[in-house]
Amino acid sequence: MYLLCYGRSENAKKTGGKLIGSIGGRWIDGDDFLSGGPVIPEMTGDTAIVMLLPLEAAVRISQEMIPESMRRLPVIAVSADGSFAAVIRKGGVSESAYCFEIYEAIKKELGPKCFTDFGGNADIGGSLADVAARYGMAVSNPELLKKVEERLVKGLPVRIFTDLRMAYGDPILDPMLYDLRKYPSDLKDEFIKQYYRSRLEAQKAGSVTDVFITCSKLEGIADSGVLGLTPKIVSIGLEQRTRTDPEYAAEGIRQSLENHMIEPLSVCTVAVPYTTRENDMVKRVAEEFGAQIASYESAELSCAKPPLRMTFAPEKINDTATAACFLASEGGDVILRRNTSVTGMVFSAAVKKDAIRLS
């Protein structure tokens, strides 16, 4: 017998590990489903898929995500805490013959079970803390993040508002936990209004259910009653015209970013021409934002093709500041071009284009 176990929560990992250790098998993940590739080693004998998930989630995945190469296999749902097991698909004609043998082996390992407490979305295993850590997000209030995590463990839904590119990491399980509401760039004002609505609701209710994942500056987010997560995905490009005091430059850029509704905590990279990499001003600006320094040769900067043209010189495709931040953001979206609020220099900003994946 061989079990292909799928589950994400700590309870699921514990129960699945027990089954694999006793009966045999291995873990599979969403990539195994989506790739449709072979996941069954040769000479494993009778094989079944074991979904260590709430029943609804197990049924949805078995219907929507299991590829053709695995559809002949039986599917057995096991609650993440090991309190229930049920066959939800017997598989093909030949596979159904051994399906119940595997089922009996699972029941024997788990002990006597009953259909009493299998509902809800608990133990699906979503974690915003893991997502925040993966993308280096700044957390507005760690205590609120703990409360959101507690909701997710219980299977309670969490509303997420964002003006960034975001996507579900698992298209079946994530929508059962996260109510994702995305605002395109032309609805920035509506996004800000929603923040104030959620803030008011949280203060009235005395609890938090709303999360804002954004690089936008949200006033008073730390004590607003809603959770703010700021990914470090913004690059700024510097172009120095005259000698500039490092402290003045760092403070001036921070203030200018905030004036343009960009959260300074989102800055991950300070991009400059290679010849100014060791400049004291550049180092101080990078230190101000906790950012790394990226430098580019003049040939690289001249070949960059940022999507925005300068309105005051439309015939000129590139400028140093914009080309530098565009390259550092790996071809992302330019959100600020050639700002001159700091005397002696200009800077541009770009945000990475890749979508942030939940789970």
Side-chain angles (χ1 to χ4, degrees), residues 6 8 30-31 34 60-61 64-65 121 124 126-128 131 134-135 137 152 156-162 164-183 211 213 354-359:
Y6 178 73
R8 305 194 301 184
D31 290 337
L34 296 174
R60 288 181 63 180
I61 284 184
E64 300 178 36
M65 282 189 68
N121 291 340
I124 285 180
S127 173
L128 266 183
V131 176
R134 191 185 325 132
Y135 290 96
M137 295 183 184
L152 293 172
L156 300 175
V158 172
R159 292 197 302 181
I160 294 180
F161 299 91
T162 186
L164 302 173
R165 288 185 174 88
M166 292 196 67
Y168 291 123
D170 187 313
I172 299 297
L173 298 186
D174 286 345
M176 298 175 70
L177 290 173
Y178 304 114
D179 179 6
L180 180 59
R181 305 185 184 192
K182 297 187 283 188
Y183 290 74
V211 179
I213 301 180
D354 292 344
I356 295 171
R357 290 181 56 176
L358 288 171
S359 78

Side-chain angles (χ1 to χ4, degrees), residues 180-305:
L180 180 59
R181 305 185 184 192
K182 297 187 283 188
Y183 290 74
S185 58
D186 58 341
L187 290 178
K188 172 73 76 173
D189 289 344
E190 285 301 314
F191 177 71
I192 301 301
K193 289 178 182 178
Q194 178 58 54
Y195 163 65
Y196 286 107
R197 283 194 292 266
S198 293
R199 175 175 174 167
L200 183 60
E201 290 172 9
Q203 291 171 347
K204 286 182 177 179
S207 61
V208 57
T209 58
D210 290 353
V211 179
F212 284 75
I213 301 180
T214 181
C215 294
S216 299
K217 179 68 177 178
L218 299 177
E219 293 296 333
I221 186 70
D223 58 358
S224 65
V226 301
L227 178 63
L229 298 177
T230 305
K232 290 184 79 68
I233 56 175
V234 171
S235 299
I236 57 175
L238 303 183
E239 181 181 330
Q240 190 171 8
R241 291 178 166 181
T242 62
R243 186 174 180 81
T244 306
D245 178 74
E247 293 297 329
Y248 165 74
E251 179 57 33
I253 292 174
R254 171 179 286 275
Q255 187 61 54
S256 184
L257 288 173
E258 292 182 351
N259 290 343
H260 285 86
M261 294 295 293
I262 301 172
E263 172 55 64
L265 290 171
S266 66
V267 177
C268 62
T269 308
V270 174
V272 295
Y274 186 80
T275 53
T276 60
R277 180 182 179 87
E278 299 300 324
N279 186 293
D280 288 342
M281 183 272 293
V282 173
K283 292 180 178 179
R284 180 63 188 91
V285 171
E287 179 186 34
E288 176 73 14
F289 301 110
Q292 64 180 1
I293 298 174
S295 59
Y296 302 94
E297 298 286 357
S298 58
E300 293 179 277
L301 295 172
S302 63
C303 290
K305 296 181 179 180

